Amino acid sequence: MAWNNRRGARGRNADRMRQDEEDEALLLMSASLMLMHPSLAHVDNNQPLPQHDGSFTDRQWVERVLYGHHRRSIDNMRITVDNFLLLSNILVERQYVPHNYQQRVPIQEALAMTLMLVSHKHTHRVLGTIFDRSIETINRNIKKVLRGLCLFAAEIIRPGDQTAVHPRIANSTNFYPWFKDAVGAMDGTHISACPPTGEQMTYTNRHGWQSQNVLAVCDHDMRFIYVYAGWEGSAHDARVLESALAYPSDFPLPQPGQYYLVDAAYRNAPGFMPPYKNVGSESPAKTLFNTRHSQLRNVIERIFGVLKKRFKWLKGPVDNFYMSTQISIVIACCALHNFLRMHQPEDAHFQRFESEDVPLNEEQAIGGLAPQPFALNVSPAELAEWKTKRDYIATQMYAARERHRR
């Protein structure tokens, strides 16, 4: 029996060897046929093949997207064809992006490269394959468009009319008249970053990953009115605000009596209204205030959700760009968000976050970081008056609800 087993094993080994020899012969035959194909007759095996041979013209991909199925533009660049052409015209006509008709890469192709980068987080090497361009050409044109979008951001990221009460507040008995002076919401968010050498610990946030802490203010229409990017991920939100308020500052402070809705990480001071901290069941008025405050303030969380869902680059991991380039991408994405909010407000990304049922990222719930004072020239009397205003809103709001229940 032992001898028969050995003989069977030898037979199987011989069969496998014959099969391997047949497979090798077939591979050699296939290779010979491929080399004998007429389309390869002109190839000189002694000459290296160029990486970019020019067989794919500079506008073929862009034209295929712009003049093909309407979903191609949305899927690839997160923008409709009409808005893509409108944006490219704005960048050129307002001289945000230098352009002349003799340059090798037209503005439409450079803008498409940039939108592909921020929408899908493609590497420069992948973009070079798509557009049949060198990595240096991809990098140079993307930086040119990013500079133009940052200039465009100064025009499109700014407060609108804040004199009238927003319809979202005016048409809700939960919010009006209690929050009639709330002109927007403010918070910080962490954007994935690739910090410079030796600064990894400074950019490591409390969650353990490297990021930049971006301060943003938005209105109730889900439009950014202020963005302050570049701070290290380890910085507290209140510290970032303190820097934003430092002279010289372009921070859009609300008009006297008006305010931004903020979370508990910020100080209760004129222009900024946070919720109450450490509220128990013995304070129903404060509990009700916090509930409705969070319902109105979650517009800032929804705008962050839309931004990161649309532009995958912001979720990381980030390629090894200069920190200045990473900051420029954040500003450019916020400018693109406002542009799309104005010109295609009904797209799928906005519709997904139109609901108010979005969880808030409360500081107390994730680690109990104490708020820090920020630079604001107010007297103790003004602070006391502002505290009284919040208490008055909470008391009157609760009294109105109790009357309604009766």
Side-chain angles (χ1 to χ4, degrees):
M1 182 65 69
W3 183 85
N4 288 335
N5 287 339
R6 288 195 297 272
R7 182 178 182 183
R10 291 173 180 172
R12 287 192 295 272
N13 290 336
D15 291 341
R16 281 196 295 268
M17 292 178 63
R18 284 194 298 271
Q19 184 65 37
D20 291 343
E21 291 175 355
E22 293 175 0
D23 292 342
E24 185 176 355
L26 287 173
L27 287 173
L28 291 174
M29 185 180 298
S30 300
S32 300
L33 291 173
M34 291 177 63
L35 291 175
M36 293 172 61
H37 195 273
S39 64
L40 298 177
H42 67 282
V43 176
D44 185 358
N45 294 328
N46 295 324
Q47 296 294 329
L49 291 174
Q51 183 177 3
H52 305 285
D53 55 8
S55 59
F56 191 77
T57 62
D58 56 355
R59 288 190 55 86
Q60 273 187 340
W61 187 90
V62 177
E63 290 176 352
R64 186 172 59 190
V65 170
L66 296 183
Y67 303 113
H69 194 275
H70 70 278
R71 288 296 311 177
R72 286 182 179 176
S73 181
I74 294 289
D75 293 341
N76 286 279
M77 300 184 296
R78 303 292 191 259
I79 189 172
T80 63
V81 173
D82 292 340
N83 290 330
F84 176 84
L85 296 175
L86 174 62
L87 180 59
S88 61
N89 289 337
I90 289 174
L91 295 178
V92 172
E93 292 174 359
R94 300 180 188 177
Q95 299 182 354
Y96 294 137
V97 176
H99 177 74
N100 64 74
Y101 294 100
Q102 295 181 348
Q103 63 188 27
R104 293 180 56 194
V105 180
I107 178 61
Q108 288 84 4
E109 185 181 355
L111 180 58
M113 294 175 185
T114 307
L115 293 176
M116 288 282 288
L117 170 71
V118 299
S119 299
H120 300 281
K121 213 185 79 60
H122 286 324
T123 63
H124 285 20
R125 193 174 301 278
V126 172
L127 292 174
T129 302
I130 294 174
F131 292 93
D132 196 33
R133 299 289 190 181
S134 68
I135 295 177
E136 188 277 332
T137 301
I138 295 289
N139 181 64
R140 173 165 39 83
N141 283 274
I142 286 178
K143 284 187 175 181
K144 180 174 67 175
V145 174
L146 286 176
R147 285 193 296 269
L149 288 173
C150 288
L151 294 173
F152 181 47
E155 172 188 334
I156 200 169
I157 301 179
R158 59 173 55 188
D161 181 20
Q162 297 181 343
T163 57
V165 179
H166 192 272
R168 185 186 177 199
I169 299 174
N171 298 331
S172 173
T173 56
N174 287 341
F175 302 143
Y176 188 85
W178 327 117
F179 294 111
K180 61 183 178 62
D181 294 324
V183 294
M186 183 183 73
D187 202 1
T189 187
H190 288 276
I191 302 296
S192 185
C194 182
T197 303
E199 299 184 27
Q200 284 81 1
M201 290 302 298
T202 307
Y203 281 87
T204 302
N205 59 37
R206 61 179 178 272
H207 303 291
W209 48 279
Q210 294 165 353
S211 66
Q212 53 172 306
N213 193 345
V214 179
L215 174 70
V217 184
C218 73
D219 60 19
H220 297 293
D221 289 320
M222 289 180 66
R223 288 195 296 258
F224 289 106
I225 62 176
Y226 180 77
V227 178
Y228 187 55
W231 264 85
E232 300 89 342
S234 60
H236 192 279
D237 288 350
R239 178 68 185 89
V240 180
L241 176 60
E242 180 181 356
S243 175
L245 293 172
Y247 181 83
S249 173
D250 59 349
F251 185 89
L253 284 171
Q255 296 298 317
Q258 297 180 334
Y259 53 86
Y260 298 129
L261 299 169
V262 299
D263 65 16
Y266 300 98
R267 186 182 182 187
N268 184 29
F272 307 91
M273 184 164 290
Y276 289 98
K277 294 185 295 182
N278 304 320
V279 175
S281 57
E282 68 279 359
S283 302
K286 293 181 179 180
T287 301
L288 178 63
F289 176 89
N290 283 2
T291 299
R292 294 184 178 177
H293 181 283
S294 67
Q295 290 173 349
L296 191 58
R297 187 179 66 84
N298 77 353
V299 64
I300 191 68
E301 301 297 339
R302 290 188 283 127
I303 199 172
F304 288 151
V306 173
L307 188 72
K308 295 180 181 180
K309 190 68 177 178
R310 187 189 304 275
F311 303 117
K312 300 294 186 183
W313 186 94
L314 301 176
K315 301 182 72 173
V318 175
D319 294 327
N320 188 21
F321 295 153
Y322 286 117
M323 201 64 215
S324 58
T325 303
Q326 298 178 49
I327 296 172
S328 297
I329 292 178
V330 173
I331 303 298
C333 288
C334 294
L336 289 169
H337 169 95
N338 277 15
F339 176 83
L340 295 176
R341 187 61 174 166
M342 293 173 59
H343 296 283
Q344 61 183 65
E346 303 298 328
D347 75 355
H349 291 91
F350 286 125
Q351 291 300 314
R352 177 176 180 179
F353 288 89
E354 284 293 342
S355 171
E356 297 180 1
D357 299 328
V358 177
L360 295 179
N361 184 19
E362 296 287 356
E363 291 285 349
Q364 289 178 312
I366 57 175
L369 292 175
Q372 302 176 7
F374 49 81
L376 198 64
N377 295 323
V378 293
S379 65
E382 290 174 314
L383 290 175
E385 182 182 354
W386 193 256
K387 180 179 181 299
T388 302
K389 178 176 181 176
R390 183 176 66 170
D391 293 340
Y392 177 80
I393 293 174
T395 303
Q396 294 299 311
M397 185 189 301
Y398 180 74
R401 191 188 70 168
E402 293 302 304
R403 287 195 302 270
H404 179 73
R405 285 183 172 180
R406 296 194 192 103

